[in-house]
Amino acid sequence: MYLSRATVADLTADHPRIARALWWATLVDEAILRAWLVNMGQREASRQIVHLFCELHARLDAVGLATRDDGGAVYDLPLRQTDLADLLGMTPVHVNRMLQELREGGLIVLKRRRLQIPDLARLRAFCGFDPAYLHLENEPDRR
């Protein structure tokens, strides 16, 4: 759907709550962009993958699609290694190697398209993940 510049101007001028929601969405989008620029440009491949896994967990947990069991945090991960490679700008072979390292290090268990994270705090520490940039628990001021 396309909104003209004039329509957006009218909406934001006449409806302060819509203006606030658009402002909030822009702030969140920019925070996510900054986090991904750092992720792609500064982290080693294994940490890039783990950062993605942590972000997916945070987002899925926020909407009730991540669970916890005796083995840790768990969620469905329908992405294939080729999908992860495309997302992260890596080769499928390199993604495969990094996933093997993460498994061997006890950071993840990946079976039948389900990701299990035995120790979420350890996984977050491994890649320096701080979910604050996602603003999942904060809402724009409703005044």
Side-chain angles (χ1 to χ4, degrees):
M1 180 176 160
Y2 173 78
L3 294 177
S4 70
R5 204 177 263 192
T7 300
V8 173
D10 288 342
L11 283 171
T12 56
D14 297 336
H15 303 280
R17 285 185 171 176
I18 291 174
R20 219 172 356 267
L22 289 172
W23 168 78
W24 183 258
T26 301
L27 289 177
V28 171
D29 284 347
E30 290 298 318
I32 292 169
L33 173 64
R34 284 189 301 275
W36 271 91
L37 287 172
V38 169
N39 191 44
M40 298 298 288
Q42 299 295 314
R43 290 191 176 98
E44 297 172 7
S46 60
R47 285 167 170 74
Q48 286 182 32
I49 293 170
V50 167
H51 196 274
L52 173 63
F53 289 166
C54 288
E55 181 174 323
L56 289 172
H57 175 266
R59 289 172 176 257
L60 291 169
D61 192 47
V63 296
L65 294 176
T67 59
R68 295 190 189 270
D69 63 16
D70 294 337
V74 179
Y75 62 87
D76 290 331
L77 185 68
L79 302 172
R80 298 172 307 201
Q81 290 182 16
T82 54
D83 298 325
L84 291 171
D86 287 344
L87 281 168
L88 297 167
M90 298 177 197
T91 66
V93 171
H94 197 53
V95 167
N96 181 277
R97 285 185 193 131
M98 295 301 99
L99 291 174
Q100 286 178 23
E101 281 184 22
L102 295 169
R103 285 180 180 119
E104 290 167 6
L107 289 168
I108 64 166
V109 177
L110 188 55
K111 288 183 183 175
R112 295 185 204 99
R113 302 205 188 231
R114 287 189 58 82
L115 180 70
Q116 179 183 356
I117 303 168
D119 185 340
L120 185 58
R122 181 175 169 229
L123 195 71
R124 286 180 170 183
F126 178 75
C127 67
F129 182 79
D130 179 357
Y133 74 94
L134 294 169
H135 299 273
L136 294 172
E137 296 182 16
N138 298 322
E139 294 183 26
D141 187 5
R142 297 197 185 263
R143 284 183 251 153

